[in-house]
Amino acid sequence: MVAAAASATVATGAALTAVLAGAGTSAADPVSLTLNYSCPFPLIGTQTLQIVISADIPTTVNVGEPTPAFTVTAVATVPPTATQGLILVGAATVEGSAKASSTVTAPEATIPVTVPATIPVTPVPASGSFDTVATGDAPSLTFTQAGQATITVGDILLTLHPKRADGTDTGLGVFDSQCTQVAGQNNTLANITINGGTTTEPTTTEPTTTEPTTTEPTTTEPTTTEPTTTEPTTTEPTTTEPTTTEPTTSEPSTTEPTTTTSNPPTGIDYSYALEGDSVVKKLNATVPLSGGIDANLDLASGNFTADLSLEPSKLKATLFHFIPITAKVAFEQEGKTTGTLAGGVLNSTSHTTIKLPSVKVFGFPISKSPKCQSSEPSEINLTSGPGFDPLAGGDLSGTYEIAPLENCGPLTGLISPLATGPGNTIDVTLSPKES
């Protein structure tokens, strides 16, 4: 996604620059501009992207002469955090499009320009930062007035599409990111001097219109605006050919903002609804499970911590094929759920005390103690299949052991053996909570 930002800016710079740049009779000079953008992305939060835009742009053009098209190149550096986010959702490539805004300021008008661009398919490495390179051909333009044209680069709207290696979508799908230029930067890409060419000659038509008005004798000839026409108008001095050095002076100033790259958040919050069931082996009884989990994932390490909550449930079983047993089941979490998400596989560990506040046989209560529970928390280890997507959720499964029960009243010795022991299974599905 960050890669996309880079590519988008590339195309932006290309079109922007192209809009006013021209060849004329002057050789093109290389220009380069480094800008930082603040881009919000799902999953990884707001990232700062550094984009270097470069092109060969003429320093001077002539009025009335169309400028030739030329190529602009932009290189964006994708930070490691963005790479981690892409890998986390299984992205192998990223592509998309961009709409980059820019402004061309010329003597005849100030023109806002939105440049659409295509972001080519860019491979995502396994880790670390990487560069994306995009190029664009600038269109031709003809200037009508002498003076100076300035090209400035603006914000960028990215539409990004990460894909898996098989070409399918990740949990991110297709999303937009409005990238805002970090304040305090010099965003001038180029200054172009427009030579007068033939524009000063047409201005002599104004005095010719006064000649038929019989002002030829003395009045208007001396006052012919020729002294005030274009020669004294200081258009020649305002050609500001020295200002063509501004692009070179701007390069040092643009390097300062590049040091302002913000530190992206390392922890990402996820909230899931949980549905599933657990089978108590001794009773061959299925306990429906529902609840939720709020997790915080550290992108750099792949480690996460979470708060797990399970709603009270009920157990129904038949002992010896004819004795009906029912029980209320509650769950109390001991500390945080912890785990890792690496290589597309999620592993989690929870410690849960299992409570049986009510146990009935043939419909008659044999235990009504709210303190009837496992003597030790059960360690429940869950693992996903490959390709777990933290945005889309997925299935988890595992096994656990139930410790002997305690505080279940006079019949604790009878009740405990019914549920305790290893080999109990659990299968749940996590799905993103609706906000």
Side-chain angles (χ1 to χ4, degrees):
M1 26 183 123
V2 178
S7 303
T9 310
V10 176
T12 304
L16 300 179
T17 318
V19 172
L20 280 184
T25 58
S26 173
D29 286 348
V31 295
S32 181
L33 177 64
T34 300
L35 290 173
N36 288 334
Y37 287 87
S38 180
C39 303
F41 296 113
L43 180 67
I44 61 174
T46 299
Q47 301 290 303
T48 299
L49 307 184
Q50 183 184 83
I51 302 169
V52 180
I53 305 168
S54 59
D56 289 338
I57 302 176
T59 57
T60 60
V61 297
N62 291 329
V63 167
E65 294 183 2
T67 63
F70 62 91
T71 299
V72 177
T73 301
V75 178
T77 299
V78 181
T81 301
T83 304
Q84 292 165 351
L86 289 170
I87 295 298
L88 194 63
V89 297
T93 63
V94 63
E95 59 190 271
S97 62
K99 292 182 179 179
S101 65
S102 61
T103 302
V104 176
T105 304
E108 54 262 53
T110 297
I111 308 168
V113 180
T114 299
V115 181
T118 298
I119 299 167
V121 175
T122 304
V124 178
S127 62
S129 62
F130 65 100
D131 290 340
T132 59
V133 179
T135 58
D137 291 328
S140 176
L141 189 71
T142 301
F143 296 104
T144 61
Q145 295 183 24
Q148 187 178 61
T150 301
I151 303 169
T152 55
V153 181
D155 295 338
I156 302 170
L157 174 63
L158 302 177
T159 299
L160 304 177
H161 192 180
K163 292 184 178 181
R164 301 180 186 274
D166 60 3
T168 59
D169 288 351
T170 68
L172 294 171
V174 179
F175 65 92
D176 290 337
S177 175
Q178 179 62 63
C179 295
T180 304
Q181 204 171 102
V182 175
Q185 301 179 92
N186 183 347
N187 64 344
T188 298
L189 180 62
N191 290 306
I192 305 169
T193 298
I194 308 168
N195 290 329
T198 58
T199 51
T200 57
E201 295 181 11
T203 61
T204 60
T205 58
E206 293 182 1
T208 61
T209 58
T210 61
E211 291 183 30
T213 62
T214 69
T215 57
E216 293 184 21
T218 53
T219 319
T220 58
E221 281 297 334
T223 59
T224 58
T225 54
E226 294 184 36
T228 59
T229 50
T230 55
E231 295 181 2
T233 56
T234 68
T235 57
E236 291 284 346
T238 59
T239 55
T240 60
E241 292 182 348
T243 62
T244 58
T245 59
E246 288 186 22
T248 58
T249 58
S250 64
E251 291 181 39
S253 63
T254 56
T255 57
E256 294 180 7
T258 62
T259 61
T260 62
T261 303
S262 60
N263 292 324
T266 56
I268 301 173
D269 294 327
Y270 301 90
S271 292
Y272 302 100
L274 180 152
E275 296 289 340
D277 56 55
S278 175
V279 175
V280 180
K281 184 178 180 180
K282 282 284 188 71
L283 292 171
N284 192 29
T286 299
V287 180
L289 298 176
S290 63
I293 184 168
D294 297 316
N296 181 272
L297 173 66
D298 180 75
L299 280 177
S301 64
N303 297 329
F304 68 85
T305 58
D307 293 315
L308 172 65
S309 61
L310 294 174
E311 299 294 330
S313 185
K314 291 184 178 180
L315 176 153
K316 293 183 179 180
T318 302
L319 186 62
F320 306 128
H321 302 289
F322 72 95
I323 301 176
I325 298 177
T326 60
K328 293 182 178 179
V329 184
F331 310 92
E332 182 177 308
Q333 306 308 315
E334 305 293 338
K336 297 274 189 179
T337 294
T338 59
T340 60
L341 177 55
V345 176
L346 183 144
N347 290 283
S348 72
T349 299
S350 302
H351 293 87
T352 305
T353 297
I354 299 172
K355 297 187 174 185
L356 300 175
S358 173
V359 180
K360 294 181 180 180
V361 176
F362 287 115
F364 295 97
I366 61 173
S367 174
K368 298 179 62 177
S369 171
K371 295 182 179 181
C372 179
Q373 63 184 42
S374 57
S375 56
E376 293 181 1
S378 297
E379 181 176 286
I380 303 176
N381 296 305
L382 298 177
T383 302
S384 74
F388 181 87
D389 190 332
L391 292 179
D395 297 330
L396 304 174
S397 61
T399 59
Y400 66 99
E401 181 176 350
I402 300 176
L405 302 181
E406 62 183 7
N407 304 321
C408 298
L411 298 179
T412 296
L414 173 64
I415 297 172
S416 180
L418 298 178
T420 61
N424 307 289
T425 62
I426 183 170
D427 295 277
V428 298
T429 298
L430 302 183
S431 56
K433 286 183 179 178
E434 295 183 2
S435 54

